[in-house]
PDB file of all heavy atoms in Angstrom:
ATOM      1  N   PRO X   1      51.515  17.160  10.614  1.00 94.00           N
ATOM      2  CA  PRO X   1      51.429  15.744  10.216  1.00 94.00           C
ATOM      3  C   PRO X   1      51.842  14.760  11.309  1.00 94.00           C
ATOM      4  O   PRO X   1      51.257  13.683  11.432  1.00 94.00           O
ATOM      5  CB  PRO X   1      52.346  15.645   9.018  1.00 94.00           C
ATOM      6  CG  PRO X   1      52.428  17.021   8.466  1.00 94.00           C
ATOM      7  CD  PRO X   1      52.313  17.928   9.662  1.00 94.00           C
ATOM      8  N   GLU X   2      52.842  15.114  12.129  1.00 95.00           N
ATOM      9  CA  GLU X   2      53.284  14.192  13.195  1.00 95.00           C
ATOM     10  C   GLU X   2      52.189  14.010  14.240  1.00 95.00           C
ATOM     11  O   GLU X   2      51.906  12.894  14.657  1.00 95.00           O
ATOM     12  CB  GLU X   2      54.562  14.715  13.857  1.00 95.00           C
ATOM     13  CG  GLU X   2      55.789  14.551  12.996  1.00 95.00           C
ATOM     14  CD  GLU X   2      57.035  15.087  13.702  1.00 95.00           C
ATOM     15  OE1 GLU X   2      57.098  15.019  14.945  1.00 95.00           O
ATOM     16  OE2 GLU X   2      57.923  15.566  12.997  1.00 95.00           O
ATOM     17  N   LYS X   3      51.636  15.120  14.679  1.00 96.00           N
ATOM     18  CA  LYS X   3      50.561  15.030  15.678  1.00 96.00           C
ATOM     19  C   LYS X   3      49.324  14.374  15.085  1.00 96.00           C
ATOM     20  O   LYS X   3      48.591  13.648  15.757  1.00 96.00           O
ATOM     21  CB  LYS X   3      50.226  16.395  16.260  1.00 96.00           C
ATOM     22  CG  LYS X   3      51.322  16.880  17.184  1.00 96.00           C
ATOM     23  CD  LYS X   3      50.966  18.187  17.849  1.00 96.00           C
ATOM     24  CE  LYS X   3      52.114  18.607  18.750  1.00 96.00           C
ATOM     25  NZ  LYS X   3      51.898  19.927  19.322  1.00 96.00           N
ATOM     26  N   TYR X   4      49.101  14.629  13.782  1.00 97.00           N
ATOM     27  CA  TYR X   4      47.970  13.968  13.111  1.00 97.00           C
ATOM     28  C   TYR X   4      48.109  12.464  13.219  1.00 97.00           C
ATOM     29  O   TYR X   4      47.137  11.778  13.566  1.00 97.00           O
ATOM     30  CB  TYR X   4      47.897  14.393  11.638  1.00 97.00           C
ATOM     31  CG  TYR X   4      47.010  13.479  10.824  1.00 97.00           C
ATOM     32  CD1 TYR X   4      45.625  13.598  10.895  1.00 97.00           C
ATOM     33  CD2 TYR X   4      47.552  12.466  10.025  1.00 97.00           C
ATOM     34  CE1 TYR X   4      44.801  12.741  10.176  1.00 97.00           C
ATOM     35  CE2 TYR X   4      46.742  11.607   9.311  1.00 97.00           C
ATOM     36  CZ  TYR X   4      45.352  11.750   9.392  1.00 97.00           C
ATOM     37  OH  TYR X   4      44.562  10.877   8.695  1.00 97.00           O
ATOM     38  N   GLN X   5      49.292  11.925  12.925  1.00 97.00           N
ATOM     39  CA  GLN X   5      49.508  10.481  12.986  1.00 97.00           C
ATOM     40  C   GLN X   5      49.270   9.940  14.391  1.00 97.00           C
ATOM     41  O   GLN X   5      48.646   8.902  14.560  1.00 97.00           O
ATOM     42  CB  GLN X   5      50.934  10.128  12.522  1.00 97.00           C
ATOM     43  CG  GLN X   5      51.138  10.256  11.032  1.00 97.00           C
ATOM     44  CD  GLN X   5      50.238   9.334  10.244  1.00 97.00           C
ATOM     45  OE1 GLN X   5      49.957   8.193  10.644  1.00 97.00           O
ATOM     46  NE2 GLN X   5      49.732   9.812   9.124  1.00 97.00           N
ATOM     47  N   LYS X   6      49.756  10.653  15.387  1.00 97.00           N
ATOM     48  CA  LYS X   6      49.569  10.251  16.793  1.00 97.00           C
ATOM     49  C   LYS X   6      48.083  10.202  17.137  1.00 97.00           C
ATOM     50  O   LYS X   6      47.586   9.217  17.668  1.00 97.00           O
ATOM     51  CB  LYS X   6      50.312  11.211  17.719  1.00 97.00           C
ATOM     52  CG  LYS X   6      50.071  10.977  19.200  1.00 97.00           C
ATOM     53  CD  LYS X   6      50.605  12.132  20.024  1.00 97.00           C
ATOM     54  CE  LYS X   6      50.183  12.072  21.454  1.00 97.00           C
ATOM     55  NZ  LYS X   6      48.915  12.677  21.745  1.00 97.00           N
ATOM     56  N   PHE X   7      47.382  11.299  16.844  1.00 97.00           N
ATOM     57  CA  PHE X   7      45.957  11.365  17.167  1.00 97.00           C
ATOM     58  C   PHE X   7      45.138  10.384  16.328  1.00 97.00           C
ATOM     59  O   PHE X   7      44.168   9.801  16.818  1.00 97.00           O
ATOM     60  CB  PHE X   7      45.417  12.784  16.969  1.00 97.00           C
ATOM     61  CG  PHE X   7      45.769  13.726  18.087  1.00 97.00           C
ATOM     62  CD1 PHE X   7      46.455  14.901  17.815  1.00 97.00           C
ATOM     63  CD2 PHE X   7      45.416  13.469  19.402  1.00 97.00           C
ATOM     64  CE1 PHE X   7      46.770  15.790  18.835  1.00 97.00           C
ATOM     65  CE2 PHE X   7      45.716  14.346  20.426  1.00 97.00           C
ATOM     66  CZ  PHE X   7      46.399  15.503  20.145  1.00 97.00           C
ATOM     67  N   LYS X   8      45.538  10.177  15.089  1.00 97.00           N
ATOM     68  CA  LYS X   8      44.815   9.247  14.205  1.00 97.00           C
ATOM     69  C   LYS X   8      44.888   7.833  14.775  1.00 97.00           C
ATOM     70  O   LYS X   8      43.884   7.112  14.797  1.00 97.00           O
ATOM     71  CB  LYS X   8      45.408   9.309  12.790  1.00 97.00           C
ATOM     72  CG  LYS X   8      44.797   8.359  11.802  1.00 97.00           C
ATOM     73  CD  LYS X   8      43.402   8.797  11.404  1.00 97.00           C
ATOM     74  CE  LYS X   8      42.937   7.952  10.227  1.00 97.00           C
ATOM     75  NZ  LYS X   8      41.520   7.730  10.253  1.00 97.00           N
ATOM     76  N   ARG X   9      46.079   7.421  15.217  1.00 97.00           N
ATOM     77  CA  ARG X   9      46.216   6.094  15.828  1.00 97.00           C
ATOM     78  C   ARG X   9      45.348   5.969  17.071  1.00 97.00           C
ATOM     79  O   ARG X   9      44.645   4.973  17.262  1.00 97.00           O
ATOM     80  CB  ARG X   9      47.679   5.814  16.181  1.00 97.00           C
ATOM     81  CG  ARG X   9      48.530   5.337  15.043  1.00 97.00           C
ATOM     82  CD  ARG X   9      49.901   4.845  15.512  1.00 97.00           C
ATOM     83  NE  ARG X   9      50.640   5.837  16.267  1.00 97.00           N
ATOM     84  CZ  ARG X   9      51.426   6.766  15.724  1.00 97.00           C
ATOM     85  NH1 ARG X   9      51.558   6.845  14.422  1.00 97.00           N
ATOM     86  NH2 ARG X   9      52.073   7.634  16.480  1.00 97.00           N
ATOM     87  N   GLU X  10      45.388   6.997  17.909  1.00 97.00           N
ATOM     88  CA  GLU X  10      44.605   6.982  19.147  1.00 97.00           C
ATOM     89  C   GLU X  10      43.110   6.958  18.836  1.00 97.00           C
ATOM     90  O   GLU X  10      42.342   6.222  19.455  1.00 97.00           O
ATOM     91  CB  GLU X  10      44.967   8.213  19.989  1.00 97.00           C
ATOM     92  CG  GLU X  10      44.441   8.133  21.401  1.00 97.00           C
ATOM     93  CD  GLU X  10      44.920   9.304  22.265  1.00 97.00           C
ATOM     94  OE1 GLU X  10      45.909   9.979  21.921  1.00 97.00           O
ATOM     95  OE2 GLU X  10      44.268   9.527  23.309  1.00 97.00           O
ATOM     96  N   PHE X  11      42.680   7.760  17.857  1.00 96.00           N
ATOM     97  CA  PHE X  11      41.276   7.829  17.456  1.00 96.00           C
ATOM     98  C   PHE X  11      40.811   6.480  16.926  1.00 96.00           C
ATOM     99  O   PHE X  11      39.760   5.969  17.317  1.00 96.00           O
ATOM    100  CB  PHE X  11      41.081   8.926  16.403  1.00 96.00           C
ATOM    101  CG  PHE X  11      39.648   9.205  16.042  1.00 96.00           C
ATOM    102  CD1 PHE X  11      38.887  10.083  16.792  1.00 96.00           C
ATOM    103  CD2 PHE X  11      39.081   8.588  14.931  1.00 96.00           C
ATOM    104  CE1 PHE X  11      37.571  10.347  16.440  1.00 96.00           C
ATOM    105  CE2 PHE X  11      37.766   8.847  14.593  1.00 96.00           C
ATOM    106  CZ  PHE X  11      36.995   9.724  15.346  1.00 96.00           C
ATOM    107  N   ASP X  12      41.595   5.894  16.013  1.00 96.00           N
ATOM    108  CA  ASP X  12      41.241   4.598  15.435  1.00 96.00           C
ATOM    109  C   ASP X  12      41.168   3.502  16.499  1.00 96.00           C
ATOM    110  O   ASP X  12      40.253   2.680  16.465  1.00 96.00           O
ATOM    111  CB  ASP X  12      42.230   4.211  14.338  1.00 96.00           C
ATOM    112  CG  ASP X  12      42.075   5.069  13.088  1.00 96.00           C
ATOM    113  OD1 ASP X  12      41.065   5.787  12.951  1.00 96.00           O
ATOM    114  OD2 ASP X  12      43.002   5.037  12.243  1.00 96.00           O
ATOM    115  N   THR X  13      42.108   3.514  17.435  1.00 97.00           N
ATOM    116  CA  THR X  13      42.114   2.517  18.505  1.00 97.00           C
ATOM    117  C   THR X  13      40.879   2.680  19.375  1.00 97.00           C
ATOM    118  O   THR X  13      40.211   1.689  19.727  1.00 97.00           O
ATOM    119  CB  THR X  13      43.392   2.658  19.366  1.00 97.00           C
ATOM    120  OG1 THR X  13      44.529   2.442  18.533  1.00 97.00           O
ATOM    121  CG2 THR X  13      43.405   1.662  20.509  1.00 97.00           C
ATOM    122  N   LEU X  14      40.552   3.913  19.710  1.00 96.00           N
ATOM    123  CA  LEU X  14      39.380   4.183  20.526  1.00 96.00           C
ATOM    124  C   LEU X  14      38.093   3.766  19.826  1.00 96.00           C
ATOM    125  O   LEU X  14      37.221   3.106  20.414  1.00 96.00           O
ATOM    126  CB  LEU X  14      39.321   5.683  20.906  1.00 96.00           C
ATOM    127  CG  LEU X  14      38.184   6.127  21.818  1.00 96.00           C
ATOM    128  CD1 LEU X  14      38.204   5.393  23.143  1.00 96.00           C
ATOM    129  CD2 LEU X  14      38.275   7.628  22.026  1.00 96.00           C
ATOM    130  N   MET X  15      37.959   4.088  18.550  1.00 94.00           N
ATOM    131  CA  MET X  15      36.763   3.729  17.802  1.00 94.00           C
ATOM    132  C   MET X  15      36.650   2.208  17.613  1.00 94.00           C
ATOM    133  O   MET X  15      35.562   1.652  17.685  1.00 94.00           O
ATOM    134  CB  MET X  15      36.748   4.413  16.430  1.00 94.00           C
ATOM    135  CG  MET X  15      36.562   5.915  16.504  1.00 94.00           C
ATOM    136  SD  MET X  15      35.055   6.424  17.322  1.00 94.00           S
ATOM    137  CE  MET X  15      35.695   7.152  18.817  1.00 94.00           C
ATOM    138  N   SER X  16      37.774   1.562  17.434  1.00 95.00           N
ATOM    139  CA  SER X  16      37.771   0.102  17.317  1.00 95.00           C
ATOM    140  C   SER X  16      37.283  -0.543  18.641  1.00 95.00           C
ATOM    141  O   SER X  16      36.476  -1.458  18.614  1.00 95.00           O
ATOM    142  CB  SER X  16      39.170  -0.388  16.968  1.00 95.00           C
ATOM    143  OG  SER X  16      39.222  -1.783  16.963  1.00 95.00           O
ATOM    144  N   GLY X  17      37.818  -0.048  19.755  1.00 96.00           N
ATOM    145  CA  GLY X  17      37.395  -0.551  21.049  1.00 96.00           C
ATOM    146  C   GLY X  17      35.921  -0.295  21.301  1.00 96.00           C
ATOM    147  O   GLY X  17      35.200  -1.136  21.836  1.00 96.00           O
ATOM    148  N   ALA X  18      35.445   0.903  20.925  1.00 94.00           N
ATOM    149  CA  ALA X  18      34.041   1.249  21.112  1.00 94.00           C
ATOM    150  C   ALA X  18      33.139   0.353  20.276  1.00 94.00           C
ATOM    151  O   ALA X  18      32.078  -0.085  20.741  1.00 94.00           O
ATOM    152  CB  ALA X  18      33.814   2.716  20.784  1.00 94.00           C
ATOM    153  N   ALA X  19      33.563   0.072  19.055  1.00 95.00           N
ATOM    154  CA  ALA X  19      32.766  -0.810  18.183  1.00 95.00           C
ATOM    155  C   ALA X  19      32.714  -2.229  18.759  1.00 95.00           C
ATOM    156  O   ALA X  19      31.650  -2.867  18.749  1.00 95.00           O
ATOM    157  CB  ALA X  19      33.351  -0.820  16.782  1.00 95.00           C
ATOM    158  N   GLN X  20      33.837  -2.697  19.250  1.00 96.00           N
ATOM    159  CA  GLN X  20      33.870  -4.021  19.853  1.00 96.00           C
ATOM    160  C   GLN X  20      32.966  -4.071  21.093  1.00 96.00           C
ATOM    161  O   GLN X  20      32.197  -5.014  21.284  1.00 96.00           O
ATOM    162  CB  GLN X  20      35.306  -4.351  20.218  1.00 96.00           C
ATOM    163  CG  GLN X  20      35.530  -5.794  20.585  1.00 96.00           C
ATOM    164  CD  GLN X  20      37.013  -6.062  20.813  1.00 96.00           C
ATOM    165  OE1 GLN X  20      37.772  -5.206  21.248  1.00 96.00           O
ATOM    166  NE2 GLN X  20      37.431  -7.291  20.505  1.00 96.00           N
ATOM    167  N   TYR X  21      33.054  -3.040  21.922  1.00 95.00           N
ATOM    168  CA  TYR X  21      32.210  -2.971  23.119  1.00 95.00           C
ATOM    169  C   TYR X  21      30.725  -2.908  22.748  1.00 95.00           C
ATOM    170  O   TYR X  21      29.898  -3.569  23.359  1.00 95.00           O
ATOM    171  CB  TYR X  21      32.595  -1.747  23.951  1.00 95.00           C
ATOM    172  CG  TYR X  21      31.564  -1.368  24.982  1.00 95.00           C
ATOM    173  CD1 TYR X  21      31.262  -2.237  26.035  1.00 95.00           C
ATOM    174  CD2 TYR X  21      30.887  -0.161  24.922  1.00 95.00           C
ATOM    175  CE1 TYR X  21      30.314  -1.906  26.982  1.00 95.00           C
ATOM    176  CE2 TYR X  21      29.941   0.169  25.870  1.00 95.00           C
ATOM    177  CZ  TYR X  21      29.647  -0.694  26.889  1.00 95.00           C
ATOM    178  OH  TYR X  21      28.701  -0.361  27.829  1.00 95.00           O
ATOM    179  N   ALA X  22      30.392  -2.150  21.700  1.00 94.00           N
ATOM    180  CA  ALA X  22      29.003  -2.014  21.276  1.00 94.00           C
ATOM    181  C   ALA X  22      28.394  -3.376  20.905  1.00 94.00           C
ATOM    182  O   ALA X  22      27.220  -3.619  21.152  1.00 94.00           O
ATOM    183  CB  ALA X  22      28.876  -1.052  20.096  1.00 94.00           C
ATOM    184  N   GLY X  23      29.226  -4.247  20.356  1.00 95.00           N
ATOM    185  CA  GLY X  23      28.748  -5.580  19.981  1.00 95.00           C
ATOM    186  C   GLY X  23      28.418  -6.451  21.183  1.00 95.00           C
ATOM    187  O   GLY X  23      27.532  -7.302  21.119  1.00 95.00           O
ATOM    188  N   MET X  24      29.102  -6.244  22.277  1.00 95.00           N
ATOM    189  CA  MET X  24      28.846  -7.084  23.455  1.00 95.00           C
ATOM    190  C   MET X  24      28.005  -6.381  24.509  1.00 95.00           C
ATOM    191  O   MET X  24      27.562  -6.997  25.467  1.00 95.00           O
ATOM    192  CB  MET X  24      30.162  -7.563  24.070  1.00 95.00           C
ATOM    193  CG  MET X  24      31.002  -6.464  24.672  1.00 95.00           C
ATOM    194  SD  MET X  24      32.514  -7.074  25.449  1.00 95.00           S
ATOM    195  CE  MET X  24      33.457  -7.547  24.015  1.00 95.00           C
ATOM    196  N   ARG X  25      27.776  -5.102  24.343  1.00 94.00           N
ATOM    197  CA  ARG X  25      27.068  -4.300  25.350  1.00 94.00           C
ATOM    198  C   ARG X  25      25.734  -4.876  25.781  1.00 94.00           C
ATOM    199  O   ARG X  25      25.418  -4.883  26.960  1.00 94.00           O
ATOM    200  CB  ARG X  25      26.880  -2.871  24.826  1.00 94.00           C
ATOM    201  CG  ARG X  25      26.314  -1.924  25.847  1.00 94.00           C
ATOM    202  CD  ARG X  25      26.194  -0.513  25.259  1.00 94.00           C
ATOM    203  NE  ARG X  25      25.753   0.432  26.252  1.00 94.00           N
ATOM    204  CZ  ARG X  25      24.476   0.636  26.560  1.00 94.00           C
ATOM    205  NH1 ARG X  25      23.524  -0.027  25.934  1.00 94.00           N
ATOM    206  NH2 ARG X  25      24.160   1.522  27.489  1.00 94.00           N
ATOM    207  N   PRO X  26      24.892  -5.368  24.859  1.00 95.00           N
ATOM    208  CA  PRO X  26      23.582  -5.888  25.281  1.00 95.00           C
ATOM    209  C   PRO X  26      23.669  -7.072  26.247  1.00 95.00           C
ATOM    210  O   PRO X  26      22.719  -7.349  26.971  1.00 95.00           O
ATOM    211  CB  PRO X  26      22.920  -6.315  23.971  1.00 95.00           C
ATOM    212  CG  PRO X  26      23.627  -5.561  22.906  1.00 95.00           C
ATOM    213  CD  PRO X  26      25.023  -5.375  23.392  1.00 95.00           C
ATOM    214  N   ARG X  27      24.782  -7.762  26.275  1.00 96.00           N
ATOM    215  CA  ARG X  27      24.908  -8.942  27.144  1.00 96.00           C
ATOM    216  C   ARG X  27      25.522  -8.605  28.519  1.00 96.00           C
ATOM    217  O   ARG X  27      25.762  -9.499  29.313  1.00 96.00           O
ATOM    218  CB  ARG X  27      25.775  -9.998  26.450  1.00 96.00           C
ATOM    219  CG  ARG X  27      25.162 -10.501  25.148  1.00 96.00           C
ATOM    220  CD  ARG X  27      26.025 -11.528  24.517  1.00 96.00           C
ATOM    221  NE  ARG X  27      27.371 -11.004  24.296  1.00 96.00           N
ATOM    222  CZ  ARG X  27      28.003 -10.988  23.149  1.00 96.00           C
ATOM    223  NH1 ARG X  27      27.414 -11.467  22.091  1.00 96.00           N
ATOM    224  NH2 ARG X  27      29.206 -10.504  23.036  1.00 96.00           N
ATOM    225  N   ILE X  28      25.759  -7.324  28.762  1.00 94.00           N
ATOM    226  CA  ILE X  28      26.418  -6.893  29.982  1.00 94.00           C
ATOM    227  C   ILE X  28      25.377  -6.263  30.918  1.00 94.00           C
ATOM    228  O   ILE X  28      24.457  -5.599  30.442  1.00 94.00           O
ATOM    229  CB  ILE X  28      27.533  -5.887  29.661  1.00 94.00           C
ATOM    230  CG1 ILE X  28      28.591  -6.549  28.787  1.00 94.00           C
ATOM    231  CG2 ILE X  28      28.167  -5.320  30.911  1.00 94.00           C
ATOM    232  CD1 ILE X  28      29.622  -5.613  28.225  1.00 94.00           C
ATOM    233  N   ASN X  29      25.558  -6.423  32.242  1.00 96.00           N
ATOM    234  CA  ASN X  29      24.583  -5.853  33.166  1.00 96.00           C
ATOM    235  C   ASN X  29      24.584  -4.331  33.118  1.00 96.00           C
ATOM    236  O   ASN X  29      25.559  -3.696  32.686  1.00 96.00           O
ATOM    237  CB  ASN X  29      24.787  -6.399  34.591  1.00 96.00           C
ATOM    238  CG  ASN X  29      25.988  -5.794  35.296  1.00 96.00           C
ATOM    239  OD1 ASN X  29      26.078  -4.584  35.459  1.00 96.00           O
ATOM    240  ND2 ASN X  29      26.915  -6.631  35.727  1.00 96.00           N
ATOM    241  N   THR X  30      23.509  -3.740  33.576  1.00 95.00           N
ATOM    242  CA  THR X  30      23.284  -2.307  33.470  1.00 95.00           C
ATOM    243  C   THR X  30      24.361  -1.477  34.179  1.00 95.00           C
ATOM    244  O   THR X  30      24.821  -0.453  33.631  1.00 95.00           O
ATOM    245  CB  THR X  30      21.901  -1.941  34.032  1.00 95.00           C
ATOM    246  OG1 THR X  30      20.926  -2.729  33.358  1.00 95.00           O
ATOM    247  CG2 THR X  30      21.578  -0.485  33.821  1.00 95.00           C
ATOM    248  N   ASP X  31      24.766  -1.884  35.360  1.00 96.00           N
ATOM    249  CA  ASP X  31      25.808  -1.133  36.075  1.00 96.00           C
ATOM    250  C   ASP X  31      27.108  -1.084  35.288  1.00 96.00           C
ATOM    251  O   ASP X  31      27.746  -0.037  35.188  1.00 96.00           O
ATOM    252  CB  ASP X  31      26.059  -1.721  37.466  1.00 96.00           C
ATOM    253  CG  ASP X  31      24.910  -1.500  38.414  1.00 96.00           C
ATOM    254  OD1 ASP X  31      24.110  -0.571  38.192  1.00 96.00           O
ATOM    255  OD2 ASP X  31      24.797  -2.258  39.396  1.00 96.00           O
ATOM    256  N   THR X  32      27.498  -2.218  34.725  1.00 96.00           N
ATOM    257  CA  THR X  32      28.714  -2.268  33.933  1.00 96.00           C
ATOM    258  C   THR X  32      28.555  -1.423  32.677  1.00 96.00           C
ATOM    259  O   THR X  32      29.475  -0.710  32.270  1.00 96.00           O
ATOM    260  CB  THR X  32      29.074  -3.724  33.570  1.00 96.00           C
ATOM    261  OG1 THR X  32      29.231  -4.460  34.785  1.00 96.00           O
ATOM    262  CG2 THR X  32      30.347  -3.798  32.761  1.00 96.00           C
ATOM    263  N   GLN X  33      27.385  -1.487  32.037  1.00 95.00           N
ATOM    264  CA  GLN X  33      27.119  -0.661  30.858  1.00 95.00           C
ATOM    265  C   GLN X  33      27.312   0.814  31.166  1.00 95.00           C
ATOM    266  O   GLN X  33      27.985   1.530  30.433  1.00 95.00           O
ATOM    267  CB  GLN X  33      25.693  -0.881  30.340  1.00 95.00           C
ATOM    268  CG  GLN X  33      25.480  -2.158  29.611  1.00 95.00           C
ATOM    269  CD  GLN X  33      24.021  -2.294  29.162  1.00 95.00           C
ATOM    270  OE1 GLN X  33      23.204  -1.386  29.333  1.00 95.00           O
ATOM    271  NE2 GLN X  33      23.699  -3.436  28.575  1.00 95.00           N
ATOM    272  N   GLN X  34      26.714   1.266  32.251  1.00 95.00           N
ATOM    273  CA  GLN X  34      26.815   2.672  32.618  1.00 95.00           C
ATOM    274  C   GLN X  34      28.268   3.084  32.869  1.00 95.00           C
ATOM    275  O   GLN X  34      28.695   4.159  32.448  1.00 95.00           O
ATOM    276  CB  GLN X  34      25.949   2.961  33.839  1.00 95.00           C
ATOM    277  CG  GLN X  34      24.476   2.896  33.540  1.00 95.00           C
ATOM    278  CD  GLN X  34      23.605   3.040  34.781  1.00 95.00           C
ATOM    279  OE1 GLN X  34      24.095   2.957  35.905  1.00 95.00           O
ATOM    280  NE2 GLN X  34      22.339   3.270  34.573  1.00 95.00           N
ATOM    281  N   THR X  35      29.015   2.213  33.517  1.00 97.00           N
ATOM    282  CA  THR X  35      30.407   2.503  33.830  1.00 97.00           C
ATOM    283  C   THR X  35      31.256   2.577  32.547  1.00 97.00           C
ATOM    284  O   THR X  35      32.015   3.535  32.340  1.00 97.00           O
ATOM    285  CB  THR X  35      30.994   1.467  34.788  1.00 97.00           C
ATOM    286  OG1 THR X  35      30.196   1.464  35.980  1.00 97.00           O
ATOM    287  CG2 THR X  35      32.437   1.757  35.140  1.00 97.00           C
ATOM    288  N   VAL X  36      31.117   1.583  31.711  1.00 96.00           N
ATOM    289  CA  VAL X  36      31.920   1.535  30.479  1.00 96.00           C
ATOM    290  C   VAL X  36      31.474   2.620  29.498  1.00 96.00           C
ATOM    291  O   VAL X  36      32.306   3.228  28.823  1.00 96.00           O
ATOM    292  CB  VAL X  36      31.894   0.114  29.855  1.00 96.00           C
ATOM    293  CG1 VAL X  36      32.665   0.086  28.546  1.00 96.00           C
ATOM    294  CG2 VAL X  36      32.478  -0.893  30.831  1.00 96.00           C
ATOM    295  N   ASP X  37      30.174   2.893  29.443  1.00 95.00           N
ATOM    296  CA  ASP X  37      29.681   3.994  28.603  1.00 95.00           C
ATOM    297  C   ASP X  37      30.338   5.296  29.031  1.00 95.00           C
ATOM    298  O   ASP X  37      30.797   6.090  28.194  1.00 95.00           O
ATOM    299  CB  ASP X  37      28.160   4.151  28.715  1.00 95.00           C
ATOM    300  CG  ASP X  37      27.379   3.028  28.053  1.00 95.00           C
ATOM    301  OD1 ASP X  37      27.985   2.159  27.391  1.00 95.00           O
ATOM    302  OD2 ASP X  37      26.139   3.026  28.203  1.00 95.00           O
ATOM    303  N   ALA X  38      30.372   5.529  30.348  1.00 95.00           N
ATOM    304  CA  ALA X  38      30.994   6.758  30.862  1.00 95.00           C
ATOM    305  C   ALA X  38      32.483   6.802  30.523  1.00 95.00           C
ATOM    306  O   ALA X  38      33.003   7.863  30.202  1.00 95.00           O
ATOM    307  CB  ALA X  38      30.790   6.853  32.370  1.00 95.00           C
ATOM    308  N   LEU X  39      33.140   5.658  30.600  1.00 97.00           N
ATOM    309  CA  LEU X  39      34.575   5.593  30.274  1.00 97.00           C
ATOM    310  C   LEU X  39      34.786   5.992  28.805  1.00 97.00           C
ATOM    311  O   LEU X  39      35.651   6.826  28.523  1.00 97.00           O
ATOM    312  CB  LEU X  39      35.119   4.192  30.518  1.00 97.00           C
ATOM    313  CG  LEU X  39      36.545   3.948  30.047  1.00 97.00           C
ATOM    314  CD1 LEU X  39      37.527   4.811  30.852  1.00 97.00           C
ATOM    315  CD2 LEU X  39      36.903   2.474  30.168  1.00 97.00           C
ATOM    316  N   TYR X  40      34.012   5.406  27.889  1.00 95.00           N
ATOM    317  CA  TYR X  40      34.180   5.747  26.469  1.00 95.00           C
ATOM    318  C   TYR X  40      33.798   7.189  26.197  1.00 95.00           C
ATOM    319  O   TYR X  40      34.436   7.856  25.389  1.00 95.00           O
ATOM    320  CB  TYR X  40      33.391   4.789  25.578  1.00 95.00           C
ATOM    321  CG  TYR X  40      34.171   3.550  25.262  1.00 95.00           C
ATOM    322  CD1 TYR X  40      33.867   2.328  25.880  1.00 95.00           C
ATOM    323  CD2 TYR X  40      35.242   3.586  24.384  1.00 95.00           C
ATOM    324  CE1 TYR X  40      34.599   1.187  25.608  1.00 95.00           C
ATOM    325  CE2 TYR X  40      35.992   2.449  24.107  1.00 95.00           C
ATOM    326  CZ  TYR X  40      35.669   1.259  24.713  1.00 95.00           C
ATOM    327  OH  TYR X  40      36.404   0.137  24.456  1.00 95.00           O
TER     328      TYR X  40
END
């Protein structure tokens, strides 16, 4: 349960950031898209 809570917070934070990025992705240049896509 302890590790679950740690990973759950990290997972939720990552998914939240990815969703936010997905909303702005079409307005970003291709090079930046490729870089940030690779990061996620």
Side-chain angles (χ1 to χ4, degrees):
E2 286 180 32
K3 287 184 181 174
Y4 165 78
Q5 286 300 323
K6 174 191 170 273
F7 282 123
K8 178 73 169 147
R9 278 190 304 274
E10 193 174 341
F11 187 86
D12 289 346
T13 300
L14 182 59
M15 291 302 111
S16 175
Q20 192 175 31
Y21 164 64
M24 67 178 70
R25 187 178 185 275
R27 298 181 303 235
I28 298 171
N29 75 58
T30 305
D31 290 338
T32 302
Q33 285 179 4
Q34 290 174 346
T35 302
V36 177
D37 289 355
L39 173 65
Y40 275 105

